[in-house]
Amino acid sequence: MSSALENEVVTRYLTELHRLLHGPAHARADVVEEVGGGISDSAEAFAAQGLTPESAIEAALADFGEPAVVASAFAGELAVARARQILWWLLITGPLVGIWWPLLLASKWEGFLPAGLIAAIPVLPLIAAAVVTGVLVLAASGSLIRWVPEVTPRQALLAATAVGGVCIVADTALLIALSARVAAGATFPPLLVAAAVTASGGRLFGVIWAVVRCLGAMRHLGKP
Amino acid sequence: MLPIRPESLKGHLDGLLLSVLEKGPLHGYAVIESIRDGSSGAFDLPTGTIYPALHRLERAGFIDSEWHAFGGRRRRVYELTVSGRQALVTERAVWLKFSDAVSSLLGAQT
């Protein structure tokens, strides 16, 4: 049975570990809880060998290693978790944002043919490349790694950053294109404009946050 | 006992983890103890390296995990999947081939 002092020692260790972990919040919380459980099990094992509760806790913490060492060991997995989280978010929001622009900018039915769509939305090939990249990286970082080469954590983060970058370029380009056409006197259905601008504008903020997170995660890869 | 450097296990850690889970579900620290006990102390891996390796195996679909309550505390318990059992068969075959090749080059007597 642990004393308040022993609990405080473990709590300080886990607080420091949480501070040094970098990744999605739920993943970091799970890591801290799992390591906390492991420390308790380790301390029980040492206590069963005859150590005092205080010495058992010290031995358990030494067994796990410094929080910086444990955090470094988890850096790769948390980086992949971050990259996958962001790629999934971008792939899911893609159609929710993208549906409005062809409706808005492709004014005739020919605009829904591939050539017409690309003429109306020149960034479309870039978006298509980003989608393919996102899907491939998700495959190469998930359960398909049994069959396809696995991406490294750094590669996963780079891909998420690149896909996010494409989304920033695409959303910005579409908003600029719409502004230019409105300035030139073109008129569009107000509701469609509102939907497209809100979707792209809103996602821009989210994507910028995501790219900043990816760049931050890359800095922490390989650092203790 | 000759010391075995942890880096010697790189490339084989997955097989070791799948192997200890073959007998049944275990939480993370129990996996660590199983490796120590099963190797008679020869493999005393840094505790911090085992958990990320288990997470990676779960990401690959070779093991599943669930949180279970044990005496008021939660433990993440890992269990081998069907794919994990198949992967273990492959790991054992690869290991036999590897160890035979190394043994014949090092001139080990059997």
Side-chain angles (χ1 to χ4, degrees):
Chain A
M1 200 163 301
S2 305
S3 70
L5 181 63
E6 287 142 19
N7 284 337
E8 190 188 321
V9 169
V10 175
T11 301
R12 248 199 332 266
Y13 180 99
L14 294 176
T15 302
E16 178 64 4
L17 175 63
H18 187 264
R19 189 186 72 80
L20 293 169
L21 292 172
H22 299 278
H26 70 277
R28 292 163 59 203
D30 281 351
V31 166
V32 171
E33 184 170 12
E34 189 173 16
V35 169
I39 290 170
S40 295
D41 293 333
S42 177
E44 276 181 14
F46 281 114
Q49 294 172 20
L51 269 64
T52 63
E54 190 184 337
S55 298
I57 292 277
E58 278 178 20
L61 293 179
D63 187 30
F64 269 75
E66 292 292 323
V69 172
V70 177
S72 176
F74 275 103
E77 277 306 300
L78 289 175
V80 172
R82 170 71 80 198
R84 286 176 60 79
Q85 180 193 52
I86 287 168
L87 285 171
W88 274 118
W89 181 76
L90 291 174
L91 287 176
I92 288 169
T93 59
L96 298 177
V97 172
I99 187 65
W100 305 111
W101 292 104
L103 293 174
L104 194 59
L105 299 178
S107 54
K108 301 176 188 175
W109 69 267
E110 295 95 340
F112 287 88
L113 297 174
L117 269 176
I118 292 173
I121 307 172
V123 290
L124 211 50
L126 198 59
I127 294 169
V131 169
V132 169
T133 301
V135 169
L136 287 176
V137 172
L138 282 172
S141 60
S143 58
L144 295 185
I145 60 177
R146 297 173 238 179
W147 299 293
V148 302
E150 184 180 356
V151 291
T152 65
R154 190 168 294 276
Q155 288 168 342
L157 284 173
L158 277 171
T161 305
V163 172
V166 166
C167 291
I168 291 171
V169 167
D171 282 332
T172 305
L174 287 166
L175 290 169
I176 290 174
L178 177 65
S179 302
R181 285 171 69 166
V182 167
T187 57
F188 300 95
L191 281 179
L192 265 182
V193 171
V197 169
T198 302
S200 274
R203 192 173 69 163
L204 256 181
F205 286 107
V207 176
I208 290 170
W209 172 90
V211 168
V212 167
R213 285 283 179 167
C214 281
L215 294 173
M218 269 195 279
R219 270 204 321 274
H220 293 289
L221 270 183
K223 275 178 61 173
Chain B
M1 183 187 296
L2 291 174
I4 296 179
R5 292 173 298 170
E7 55 266 27
S8 306
L9 287 178
K10 270 185 186 172
H12 306 295
L13 181 57
D14 286 356
L16 294 180
L17 295 174
L18 294 174
S19 177
V20 299
L21 288 170
E22 189 182 25
K23 302 177 186 74
L26 293 171
H27 57 70
Y29 194 72
V31 169
I32 295 164
E33 286 195 310
S34 293
I35 291 178
R36 280 183 193 147
D37 295 343
S39 66
S40 303
F43 300 152
D44 192 5
L45 299 165
T47 307
T49 62
I50 301 298
Y51 292 94
L54 288 168
H55 290 191
R56 184 184 158 277
L57 287 174
E58 185 175 14
R59 184 160 53 86
F62 294 142
I63 61 179
D64 274 335
S65 75
E66 265 185 6
W67 288 96
H68 288 200
F70 288 96
R73 294 178 294 199
R74 289 210 313 167
R75 295 288 183 278
R76 194 167 175 172
V77 175
Y78 298 91
E79 186 175 21
L80 216 55
T81 63
V82 170
S83 303
R85 290 185 191 278
Q86 291 165 352
L88 182 54
V89 168
T90 305
E91 288 281 338
R92 284 186 168 129
V94 167
W95 171 253
L96 278 174
K97 199 170 175 180
F98 174 79
S99 64
D100 282 349
V102 171
S103 294
S104 64
L105 281 171
L106 290 178
Q109 294 177 357
T110 55

